[in-house]
């Protein structure tokens, strides 16, 4: 609403500059005088030949005075009104006087004949007035050219005293109106004064006079001041002798030549007049005669404070912007609250709409981008799988959810930098989660990503960090894992948590559980998964020091039909299988080699690779193999376990040595390692049970696969599909 008002206001501000004021138009034909003395003479009247519309309007100008040239009556013209079709002209007063001494009458009466002229006596503004004592004055007049009547009034008075000024109602003065359409007048007197009257009233008068001009004065009775005087009367003039309707049928004779002109029937009879339409002024009888009135030149056109705007044919008053007319009589503008508020509101609404549109646009753009990534990472495959597989326990997180959970990837929430990306601590629905923001993903792997997610999400082992979900709406996928509170094994034996005591049996438990997890990946997962980056830093410990293998960033899913060749060898120095380095072929035995190094770490609490020592001592595995050969293994052992069960330690060392075999084929499988470690653990727990047969133990993986991990997630975990705009 406000906006519309605003536009209108602007329009009004611009408008005046469009309607330029034209210099006042001519009122006469070209080359004709436009006035005589002080009296303007507009067309259709004209002074001299060829200046008027017809002969009847042709005036003569003798220096200052004008004379109509109606054939039997000529009069001075005082004034011509174009719009009213009237003229004020002079007319002599008729009189009849009686000379007491000579006993003679001197009568002068006038007749005015306007028949067959475009003039008529105006019946509304003129009065027939008779002045005298006991005088009958009357008029003989002709209406509508042919109908003749007479009429008049009697003015009676016996005594001078009975007269009063300004009263013309029968005593000394009488008046009457004339009929409409009068075109001929003849004044007559019937005088029945007695001699007594003659003494004070020598003359009687009869006259036609413009009603508003005549005021009776008793001196008119006694003195002879009206003798040989003229009155001013109003005559109507008109064009043609037909009505507008018939006049308009003949365009060439139609007198209203100007645009913006209209035709008016003459008020006193046949014939018509032309006028300019409202808002225009000028001479409607001339082409281009009607001009727009610039009403704004009139200071009173608008109220004080208002702005005046001239429009074609009209004008508009408006208060300055933000104000409005008071509706009472005060000529003032007041603050227009409703307009003000309206404008404000509309501006606010417009801003909101604009902002809204912007937001929607940006959202669309964003969701397009999101969708693109989603598509690229095989999100639809994943979504389908999730939908078809209720209780799958895997969530596709929205970008927003992830951002909220990590407080927009606040660096305070970082819990680790891995080779594959950065890991944040996050909270999602009151659960602690670990959120891993991967580094840039290999283009060729992108399409497989969704598939991989499905496989990884199906891994359900108590010693493997559970993948809870992922977010695909970002350039680089974000993975959401269960949160493991106690950090990595590496930190435990080497890093920040160094110093906390880890008993041999705890180390054995961690080793066994890790081996279990890897065995599961190698043999129970479908397709098999090679971890690719087994190291102490990738083994997490929960609050009960239960091992949780994590980080499958470098892992390779092995399709049964083809070998896996890796173009870029990934992994960590000190843990890398030498054969893998040469062949670039990642096998389950590569993981075995790396696991051997982890076993060494558990035994020695030394780093897999050290840079502050001699070159040949850098690699823990080399040092170990040398030590084993020289039977100096004891020197390498962590002080904390040195005094512990040496037999158990040596069994683990032997196992590690097998794992570190240069020939991959000769290394044991993860399954075998897990079994061996289980056996060694039991040996440690029950040294008396040497004869304990490990084969009789419960199936290795059976119990595990039903475990949901320590997270305690509801089996019917909600499938959250919050993918939208
Ligand atoms: C007015 O009359 C003059 C000559 O008298 C002529 O040049 C001019 O164009 C006329 N103006 C209009 C608007 O007719
Ligand atoms: C008036 O017009 C007539 C013909 O229309 C012409 O003969 C005459 O000369 C004109 N008179 C003047 C004064 O222009
Ligand atoms: C014009 O009229 C006035 C009175 O109306 C008169 O006094 C004057 O003599 C007249 N002039 C001419 C030239 O007729
Ligand atoms: C009255 O009008 C006539 C013409 O109609 C004129 O000759 C005469 O001088 C006028 N008389 C007076 C007193 O103006
Ligand atoms: C002509 O008439 C107008 C009003 O109709 C009046 O205001 C003006 O004074 C008159 N002029 C003369 C000279 O009588
Ligand atoms: C009457 O007539 C006589 C002689 O003609 C003249 O002297 C006298 O002034 C006249 N009286 C009046 C009132 O006109
Ligand atoms: C009659 O009146 C006229 C003027 O009104 C005057 O000129 C004339 O002399 C008068 N005649 C007589 C006989 O008084
Ligand atoms: C007026 O009367 C004359 C003669 O009687 C006649 O020719 C004419 O048509 C009449 N005019 C009107 C308007 O009646
Ligand atoms: C009547 O006329 C006389 C003389 O001309 C004048 O003194 C007086 O004021 C007039 N009275 C009125 C009411 O006009
Ligand atoms: C109207 O006027 C025209 C000429 O202007 C004339 O021929 C015609 O007779 C008139 N008609 C009447 C009814 O007066
Ligand atoms: C229209 O008027 C013109 C001029 O006044 C005249 O010559 C013509 O005959 C008229 N035409 C009609 C159809 O009345
Ligand atoms: C003029 O008068 C005629 C007849 O009286 C009537 O039909 C017509 O509407 C009138 N035109 C105007 C513009 O008043």
């Amino acid at each position: 609403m406000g906006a519309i008002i605003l536009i209108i206001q602007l329009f009004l501000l611009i408008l005046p500059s469009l309607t330029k004021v034209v210099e006042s138009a001519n009122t006469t034909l070209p080359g004709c005088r436009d006035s005589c003395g002080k009296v303007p003479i507009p067309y259709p009247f004209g002074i001299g030949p060829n200046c008027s519309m017809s002969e009847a309007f042709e005036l003569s100008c003798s220096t200052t005075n004008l004379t109509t040239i109606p054939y039997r009556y000529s009069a001075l013209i005082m004034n011509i009104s174009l719009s009213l079709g009237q003229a004020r002209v002079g007319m002599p007063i008729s009189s009849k006087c009686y000379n007491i001494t000579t006993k003679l009458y001197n009568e002068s009466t006038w007749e005015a004949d306007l028949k067959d002229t475009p003039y008529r006596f105006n019946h509304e503004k003129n009065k027939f007035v008779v002045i005298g004592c006991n005088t009958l004055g009357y008029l003989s007049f002709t209406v509508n050219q042919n109908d003749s009547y007479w009429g008049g009034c009697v003015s009676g008075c016996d005594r001078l005293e009975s007269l009063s000024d300004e009263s013309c109602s029968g005593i000394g003065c009488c008046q009457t109106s004339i009929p409409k359409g009068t075109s001929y007048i003849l004044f007559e007197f019937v005088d029945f004064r007695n001699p007594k009257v003659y003494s004070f009233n020598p003359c009687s008068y009869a006259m036609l006079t413009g009603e508003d001009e005549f005021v009776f004065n008793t001196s008119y009775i006694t003195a002879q001041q009206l003798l040989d005087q003229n009155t001013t009367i109003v005559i109507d003039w008109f064009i043609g002798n037909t009505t507008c309707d018939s006049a308009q049928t003949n365009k060439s004779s139609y007198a209203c030549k100007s645009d913006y002109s209209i035709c008016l029937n003459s008020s006193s009879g046949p014939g018509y007049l032309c006028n300019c339409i409202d808002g225009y002024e000028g001479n409607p009888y001339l082409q281009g005669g009607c001009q727009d009135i610039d009403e704004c030149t009139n200071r009173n056109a608008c109220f004080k404070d208002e702005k005046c705007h001239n429009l074609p044919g009209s004008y508009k008053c408006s208060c300055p912007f933000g104000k409005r007319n008071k509706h009472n009589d005060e000529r003032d503008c007041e603050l227009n609250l409703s307009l003000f508020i309206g404008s404000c509101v509309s501006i606010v609404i417009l801003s909101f709409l604009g902002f809204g549109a912007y937001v929607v646009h940006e959202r669309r753009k964003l969701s397009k981008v999101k969708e693109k990534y989603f598509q690229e990472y095989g999100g639809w495959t994943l979504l389908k799988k999730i939908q078809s597989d209720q209780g799958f326990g895997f969530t596709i997180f929205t970008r927003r959810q992830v951002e909220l959970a990590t407080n927009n990837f606040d660096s305070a929430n970082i819990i680790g930098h891995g080779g594959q990306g950065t890991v944040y601590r996050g909270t999602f629905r009151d659960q602690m989660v670990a959120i891993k923001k991967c580094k840039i993903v290999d283009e060729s792997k992108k399409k497989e990503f969704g598939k991989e997610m499905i496989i990884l999400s199906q891994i359900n082992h108590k010693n493997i960090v559970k993948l809870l979900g992922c977010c695909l709406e970002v350039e680089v996928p974000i993975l959401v894992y269960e949160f493991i509170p106690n950090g990595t094994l590496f930190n435990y034996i080497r890093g920040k948590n160094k110093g906390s005591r880890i008993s041999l049996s705890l180390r054995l438990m961690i080793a066994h559980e890790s081996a279990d997890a890897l065995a599961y990946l190698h043999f129970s997962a479908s397709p098999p998964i090679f971890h690719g980056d087994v190291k102490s830093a990738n083994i997490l410990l929960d609050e009960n020091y239960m091992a949780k293998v994590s980080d499958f960033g470098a892992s390779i899913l092995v399709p049964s039909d083809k070998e896996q060749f890796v173009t870029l060898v990934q992994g960590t120095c000190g843990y890398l299988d030498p054969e893998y380095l040469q062949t670039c072929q990642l096998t389950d035995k590569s993981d075995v080699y790396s696991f051997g190094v982890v076993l060494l770490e558990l035994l020695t609490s030394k780093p897999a690779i050290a840079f502050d020592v001699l070159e040949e001592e850098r690699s823990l595995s080399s040092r170990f193999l040398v030590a084993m050969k020289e039977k100096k293994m004891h020197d390498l052992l962590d002080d904390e376990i040195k005094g512990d069960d040496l037999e158990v330690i040596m069994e683990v060392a032997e196992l590690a040595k097998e794992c570190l075999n240069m020939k991959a084929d000769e290394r044991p499988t993860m399954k075998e390692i897990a079994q061996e470690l289980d056996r060694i653990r039991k040996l440690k727990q029950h040294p008396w049970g040497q004869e304990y047969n490990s084969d009789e133990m419960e199936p290795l993986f059976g119990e595990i696969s039903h475990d949901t991990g320590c997270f305690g997630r509801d089996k019917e975990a909600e499938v959250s599909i919050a993918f939208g705009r």
Side-chain angles (χ1 to χ4, degrees):
M1 203 36 208
I4 293 165
I5 291 169
L6 188 73
I7 288 163
I8 289 171
Q9 293 255 355
L10 285 175
F11 181 68
L12 290 178
L13 287 179
I14 293 163
L15 212 90
S17 59
L18 299 174
T19 57
K20 265 193 183 163
V21 180
V22 187
E23 72 267 29
S24 62
N26 293 334
T27 57
T28 62
L29 292 180
C32 294
R33 293 172 59 183
D34 62 357
S35 65
C36 179
K38 289 176 180 170
V39 181
I41 307 298
Y43 189 80
F45 295 91
I47 298 166
N50 297 356
C51 277
S52 58
M53 186 181 283
S54 64
E55 259 187 90
F57 295 119
E58 188 179 317
L59 310 182
S60 64
C61 178
S62 47
T63 59
T64 58
N65 296 330
L66 297 158
T67 312
T68 59
I69 316 201
Y71 316 93
R72 289 161 294 271
Y73 166 69
S74 62
L76 289 174
I77 290 185
M78 318 293 178
N79 212 341
I80 295 170
S81 166
L82 268 187
S83 58
L84 295 174
Q86 294 173 350
R88 284 145 54 83
V89 298
M91 189 174 193
I93 295 172
S94 296
S95 63
K96 189 175 183 179
C97 297
Y98 180 74
N99 190 324
I100 261 181
T101 44
T102 61
K103 293 190 175 24
L104 289 172
Y105 287 98
N106 192 354
E107 188 173 354
S108 88
T109 55
W110 294 88
E111 102 183 303
D113 187 359
L114 299 176
K115 280 190 273 188
D116 301 323
T117 71
Y119 302 96
R120 277 187 287 260
F121 296 99
N122 185 290
H123 63 284
E124 286 170 329
K125 294 186 175 173
N126 294 319
K127 291 279 186 212
F128 175 62
V129 177
V130 175
I131 293 168
C133 284
N134 303 334
T135 303
L136 167 65
Y138 70 93
L139 292 158
S140 174
F141 49 80
T142 303
V143 179
N144 298 334
Q145 309 291 342
N146 268 6
D147 304 329
S148 292
Y149 302 93
W150 68 270
C153 63
V154 175
S155 166
C157 66
D158 290 332
R159 302 178 297 116
L160 191 62
E161 293 74 31
S162 59
L163 306 175
S164 59
D165 286 344
E166 297 175 46
S167 167
C168 189
S169 53
I171 315 293
C173 172
C174 69
Q175 63 183 358
T176 185
S177 56
I178 60 165
K180 179 178 163 183
T182 302
S183 57
Y184 170 84
I185 287 177
L186 172 67
F187 296 98
E188 292 290 348
F189 290 101
V190 176
D191 190 356
F192 41 92
R193 281 176 291 187
N194 53 45
K196 183 186 154 202
V197 170
Y198 286 138
S199 61
F200 64 88
N201 177 220
C203 297
S204 294
Y205 307 98
M207 66 179 114
L208 204 60
T209 179
E211 185 190 45
D212 51 341
E213 291 174 5
F214 179 78
V215 178
F216 178 66
N217 190 325
T218 49
S219 66
Y220 296 157
I221 297 288
T222 52
Q224 295 182 2
Q225 55 188 272
L226 291 181
L227 205 60
D228 299 325
Q229 293 299 307
N230 290 335
T231 58
T232 303
I233 62 164
V234 177
I235 56 169
D236 295 329
W237 55 267
F238 49 89
I239 312 292
N241 53 12
T242 58
T243 62
C244 288
D245 304 293
S246 46
Q248 277 160 344
T249 58
N250 190 342
K251 281 289 162 197
S252 63
S253 64
Y254 181 52
C256 307
K257 300 287 186 199
S258 176
D259 294 336
Y260 312 112
S261 66
I262 53 162
C263 181
L264 298 174
N265 287 334
S266 171
S267 60
S268 56
Y272 64 92
L273 290 172
C274 299
N275 266 9
C276 290
I277 61 170
D278 284 349
Y280 288 81
E281 65 183 357
N283 196 325
Y285 302 96
L286 294 171
Q287 229 139 39
C290 288
Q291 299 281 318
D292 176 46
I293 301 170
D294 186 3
E295 294 88 348
C296 294
T297 56
N298 176 4
R299 281 174 178 271
N300 293 327
C302 292
F303 289 164
K304 193 185 115 200
D305 281 1
E306 279 184 330
K307 271 192 175 161
C308 183
H309 312 284
N310 188 36
L311 302 171
S314 68
Y315 70 108
K316 188 166 172 84
C317 295
S318 66
C319 286
F321 182 69
K323 290 188 172 184
R324 67 169 172 195
N325 287 103
K326 286 181 181 172
H327 288 297
N328 51 31
D329 246 4
E330 283 176 67
R331 299 187 145 223
D332 211 348
C333 291
E334 64 178 6
L335 193 64
N336 184 353
L337 276 180
S338 63
L339 173 61
F340 185 74
I341 291 167
S343 306
C344 288
V345 166
S346 56
I347 285 168
V348 167
I349 287 171
L350 281 178
S351 320
F352 265 102
L353 285 178
F355 183 70
Y358 173 77
V359 166
V360 166
H361 175 75
E362 286 299 304
R363 283 250 171 107
R364 289 241 168 104
K365 221 165 82 184
L366 186 63
S367 84
K368 275 250 171 72
V369 171
K370 283 181 183 173
E371 243 169 285
K372 177 179 155 266
Y373 290 134
F374 194 81
Q375 191 112 22
E376 271 182 8
Y377 291 120
W380 294 117
T381 324
L382 189 55
L383 203 59
K384 244 193 237 160
K385 172 71 183 169
I386 288 172
Q387 280 168 332
S388 68
D389 202 349
Q390 294 294 315
F392 182 52
F394 188 83
T395 309
I396 293 184
F397 293 89
T398 64
R399 186 194 182 119
R400 178 102 189 105
Q401 284 174 319
V402 172
E403 283 171 352
L404 275 176
T406 58
N407 195 15
N408 213 0
F409 299 106
D410 189 348
S411 54
N413 285 334
I414 292 178
I415 51 174
H417 289 282
Q420 319 301 327
T422 311
V423 185
Y424 297 82
R425 186 192 303 112
T427 315
F428 182 70
R429 295 199 186 149
D430 296 332
Q431 282 182 355
M432 290 289 280
V433 290
I435 292 172
K436 182 168 166 184
K437 207 175 171 187
C438 300
K439 283 183 182 166
I440 291 152
V441 164
D442 188 6
E443 275 299 316
S444 58
K445 281 185 102 182
K446 269 188 179 174
K447 282 211 178 99
E448 298 297 311
F449 193 87
K451 231 189 270 173
E452 285 191 35
M453 285 296 108
I454 293 170
I455 292 160
L456 293 179
S457 66
Q458 281 172 321
I459 294 170
N460 199 358
H461 190 279
K462 64 174 178 178
N463 297 119
I464 295 174
V465 176
K466 176 91 180 122
L467 180 67
L468 299 177
C470 64
C471 171
L472 301 177
E473 297 172 11
V474 279
E475 193 180 3
V476 172
I478 287 170
L479 304 177
V480 180
Y481 292 99
E482 65 172 318
F483 181 73
I484 311 297
N486 265 351
T488 66
L489 174 63
F490 177 83
N491 279 344
Y492 241 81
I493 53 181
R494 289 293 316 159
K496 288 178 227 156
N497 302 343
K498 197 183 172 186
S500 50
R501 304 184 139 255
I502 320 176
S503 66
L504 179 60
S505 47
L506 182 57
R507 291 174 200 234
L508 279 176
M509 186 185 92
I510 293 168
H512 175 221
E513 285 173 344
S514 307
D516 239 8
L518 291 171
Y520 172 87
L521 290 175
H522 289 179
F523 295 100
S524 297
S526 172
I529 300 166
F530 302 158
H531 189 291
D533 196 13
V534 175
K535 56 180 176 180
S536 58
N538 276 342
I539 296 169
L540 307 178
L541 300 174
D542 75 1
E543 58 275 356
N544 300 319
Y545 298 100
M546 185 187 269
K548 298 266 187 183
V549 173
S550 80
D551 203 348
F552 302 89
S555 64
I556 282 171
L557 307 170
V558 189
S560 46
D561 55 331
K562 68 174 183 188
E563 293 292 319
Q564 276 284 233
F565 291 95
V566 184
T567 48
L568 179 70
V569 173
Q570 289 179 305
T572 308
C573 289
Y575 298 89
L576 277 174
D577 172 12
E579 203 172 273
Y580 168 45
L581 271 176
Q582 285 164 12
T583 60
C584 282
Q585 189 183 354
L586 187 70
T587 65
D588 60 333
K589 297 296 173 68
S590 306
D591 282 351
V592 169
Y593 184 93
S594 303
F595 185 74
V597 181
V598 173
L599 284 179
L600 292 187
E601 285 182 281
L602 280 167
L603 290 177
T604 64
S605 293
K606 288 186 168 54
I609 193 143
F611 295 100
D612 53 352
V613 288
L614 296 171
E615 199 177 333
E616 57 266 27
E617 291 183 353
R618 274 192 187 162
S619 160
L620 182 60
S621 53
S622 321
R623 285 173 72 188
F624 167 75
L625 290 174
V626 170
M628 283 295 275
K629 219 181 225 171
E630 297 173 357
K631 307 260 188 229
K632 285 180 184 167
M633 179 59 200
H634 194 265
D635 297 345
L636 273 179
L637 288 180
D638 186 357
D639 295 341
E640 209 172 293
I641 58 167
K642 259 180 187 165
D644 215 321
D645 197 334
L646 194 60
E647 192 189 344
V648 168
I649 291 170
M650 285 319 289
E651 289 220 36
V652 175
E654 280 300 325
L655 184 61
K657 194 182 152 193
E658 282 180 57
C659 292
L660 295 171
N661 195 319
M662 282 303 177
K663 288 177 183 162
D665 290 343
E666 290 174 15
R667 292 171 204 155
T669 64
M670 263 343 277
K671 207 172 188 172
E672 288 162 350
I673 293 164
Q675 281 170 349
E676 178 64 10
L677 281 168
D678 187 37
R679 192 189 60 77
I680 295 170
R681 262 182 86 190
K682 286 187 170 123
L683 182 72
K684 169 90 175 86
Q685 284 162 0
H686 317 285
W688 57 90
Q690 292 265 348
E691 69 283 2
Y692 222 85
N693 190 350
S694 61
D695 292 345
E696 287 173 8
M697 306 207 42
E698 48 199 300
L700 196 59
F701 305 112
E703 54 151 341
I704 296 161
S705 55
H706 295 295
D707 202 313
T708 55
C710 57
F711 221 53
R713 280 176 68 91
D714 197 329
K715 258 287 179 188
E716 297 199 3
E718 68 282 51
V719 177
S720 164
I721 305 163
F723 184 77
R725 28 206 88 208

